[in-house]
Amino acid sequence: MLGSYTVAVLCLTLILSFIDRFVINLVVDPIRAELGLSDVEVSLLQGAGFALIFAVAALPAGRLADRLNRPRLIAAGVIVWSFGTIACGISEGFRGFFVARVFLGFGEAALIPAASSLIIDGFSAARRGTALGIFSLGSTSGSGIALIVGGAVLGYLQTSTAALPVIASLAPWRQLMILMGIPGFFFVPLLLLIREPAHGHRPAPPALPLFLRNLRAERCLVPRLCLAKGVMSLGDYGMAAWLPTLLMRHYAATPAAAGATIGIATALPGVIGSIAGGMLVDWSARRHGVSTRANLILGSYGVALCGAVLIGLGSSSLQIGLAFAIWVAGSVSGSVVGRVTMQEHVPGNMRATTVALSITTTALIGIAVGPTLVPGVAGLMSGAGHALQYALVAVGVVSVVPALLLIAARSASPASASVAES
């Protein structure tokens, strides 16, 4: 069994990965001004530059995680993405920044598949939901902390008293990216202290035909869960990318205030959604059996839909922040339930690969398209006031409705046995 140290370190590592991934959202306008970019080009740096390699590398990384020592694989990824984050701060143009974001995505690709399968392997069915929920705090806390801490650090760097050695002559946004990339190197020894549970007893990952046959079980429940998470991520990443800019452009928020508002609206509900989702799936397993867990996702995504609609009704930074908090709570709890469910419906030697499949779907749909879809929809509303705000609502609704339909259409028998029931 894995201990609290492992879950804590993996959670903190996930927080770090999301900080490095999301801190760019605080400095959209300075990057655009200095590098001479359009909103769409910046959105490509936020989304596609990271997501393309993230999606391509996730499946091979998942296969490696089902074969190799997972803590070492994660540590190697941390080194790569930390260098990528630092490289963002010294990039001189769109191409250089894009390549740096590619390295960031490459390094992060192994983390969630390897860490999730470690946790599922190390905890019983009655406890793994809570453990995975605690680990998932890293994603919501990471994006929130990126905005809160990043906004505070950026505010300090923009003052006349900020004089950091070596990088003091750089623009504040460049200093911010470099500073955010440094902590990863301190995480490597902490990760190497994690023990691989029963590594020598894991069978090799199944061949592709058997892998695909396992995915088709229960009328393609696992692929539908992956696709539902993928379409939900359109709203997740689209909103995370553009809500700080919305508050700064239309509601006169400073970078620190916008970061604090969206950061708190991400972190606190994310904590609630992660813990509640994990505890809920464990309660469901004890009360009704593992195979009924997918039903819980419908309610979570329904809550997210309410949050998306309320964003359009907001008329202040506070109201929009509260609406986004509702979205986050629903989306995160649904994600935790979905991740546990999909791993319990495949054999143990393909769990990391299954998580990687979900990540690839999320990257190709959500990370790559979400940040770019928002300004694209806003452009179609060019004659409307607050077009960016209405575009965020539209993308949120377009995300939730297909996800609800995919989950509602599931037809797996509640009595069917999970491969991980015990």
Side-chain angles (χ1 to χ4, degrees):
M1 288 293 187
L2 296 179
S4 57
Y5 172 83
T6 298
V7 177
V9 171
L10 292 175
C11 177
L12 291 173
T13 306
L14 188 58
I15 289 174
L16 178 68
S17 76
F18 272 73
I19 289 175
D20 289 353
R21 185 188 311 185
F22 277 98
V23 73
I24 186 177
N25 296 343
L26 272 177
V27 287
V28 167
D29 285 340
I31 291 173
R32 186 182 59 172
E34 182 172 335
L35 301 184
L37 307 178
S38 66
D39 277 353
V40 172
E41 286 176 317
V42 172
S43 73
L44 292 175
L45 296 177
Q46 293 170 291
F50 172 88
L52 291 178
I53 190 64
F54 189 68
V56 170
L59 283 172
R63 296 284 284 185
L64 286 175
D66 281 327
R67 288 178 178 271
L68 305 179
N69 182 287
R70 289 170 283 192
R72 293 177 185 174
L73 184 63
I74 295 171
V78 171
I79 294 173
V80 172
W81 92 55
S82 296
F83 276 120
T85 304
I86 293 172
C88 289
I90 59 177
S91 299
E92 294 298 329
F94 175 81
R95 291 183 180 178
F97 207 126
F98 191 92
V99 171
R101 291 287 287 179
V102 165
F103 274 93
L104 179 64
F106 182 80
E108 290 194 14
L111 172 58
I112 295 179
S116 297
S117 64
L118 266 173
I119 292 171
I120 294 293
D121 283 352
F123 289 87
S124 66
R127 298 178 58 222
R128 58 172 61 113
T130 300
L132 195 62
I134 293 173
F135 167 67
S136 298
L137 291 176
S139 58
T140 52
S141 298
S143 54
I145 290 172
L147 297 174
I148 297 171
V149 175
V153 173
L154 182 62
Y156 169 74
L157 294 173
Q158 290 173 333
T159 67
S160 58
T161 58
L164 300 178
V166 182
I167 62 174
S169 61
L170 299 176
W173 71 264
R174 293 184 180 276
Q175 296 182 50
L176 178 66
M177 301 297 291
I178 293 172
L179 289 176
M180 293 298 101
I182 293 174
F185 299 104
F186 296 97
F187 274 72
V188 172
L190 299 178
L191 289 163
L192 294 179
L193 291 176
I194 295 175
R195 297 180 62 182
E196 172 69 52
H199 170 70
H201 302 290
R202 283 191 296 159
L208 182 59
L210 180 57
F211 177 80
L212 295 176
R213 187 160 62 248
N214 284 324
L215 290 183
R216 291 196 298 269
E218 299 186 58
R219 300 192 181 182
C220 297
L221 173 62
V222 169
R224 284 189 286 110
L225 289 171
C226 291
L227 188 56
K229 173 57 181 168
V231 294
M232 275 296 294
S233 66
L234 278 172
D236 291 335
Y237 287 95
M239 291 180 188
W242 289 100
L243 275 170
T245 302
L246 171 68
L247 299 188
M248 287 185 278
R249 284 184 186 177
H250 297 294
Y251 294 97
T254 64
T261 299
I262 303 303
I264 293 172
T266 302
L268 292 182
V271 169
I272 295 171
S274 295
I275 298 297
M279 295 178 68
L280 193 60
V281 298
D282 286 346
W283 171 84
S284 176
R286 292 191 297 268
R287 188 73 179 270
H288 303 292
V290 178
S291 58
T292 63
R293 284 175 170 168
N295 294 329
L296 303 174
I297 306 174
L298 284 172
S300 296
Y301 286 172
V303 170
L305 179 60
C306 293
V309 173
L310 289 173
I311 287 175
L313 301 176
S315 58
S316 68
S317 293
L318 178 59
Q319 291 176 4
I320 292 173
L322 289 173
F324 183 56
I326 295 172
W327 168 278
V328 171
S331 179
V332 169
S333 60
S335 177
V336 171
V337 178
R339 188 171 297 164
V340 174
T341 302
M342 70 176 63
Q343 288 186 89
E344 289 187 328
H345 284 76
V346 296
N349 62 339
M350 57 180 282
R351 283 173 176 160
T353 308
T354 300
V355 175
L357 177 63
S358 175
I359 290 173
T360 297
T361 305
T362 297
L364 291 175
I365 298 176
I367 306 177
V369 179
T372 304
L373 184 61
V374 172
V377 173
L380 299 177
M381 304 176 181
S382 57
H386 297 287
L388 181 58
Q389 184 170 344
Y390 300 146
L392 287 165
V393 177
V395 171
V397 173
V398 166
S399 301
V400 178
V401 172
L404 287 172
L405 293 175
L406 282 164
I407 303 302
R410 78 171 198 85
S411 54
S413 169
S416 63
S418 165
V419 297
E421 185 80 40
S422 59

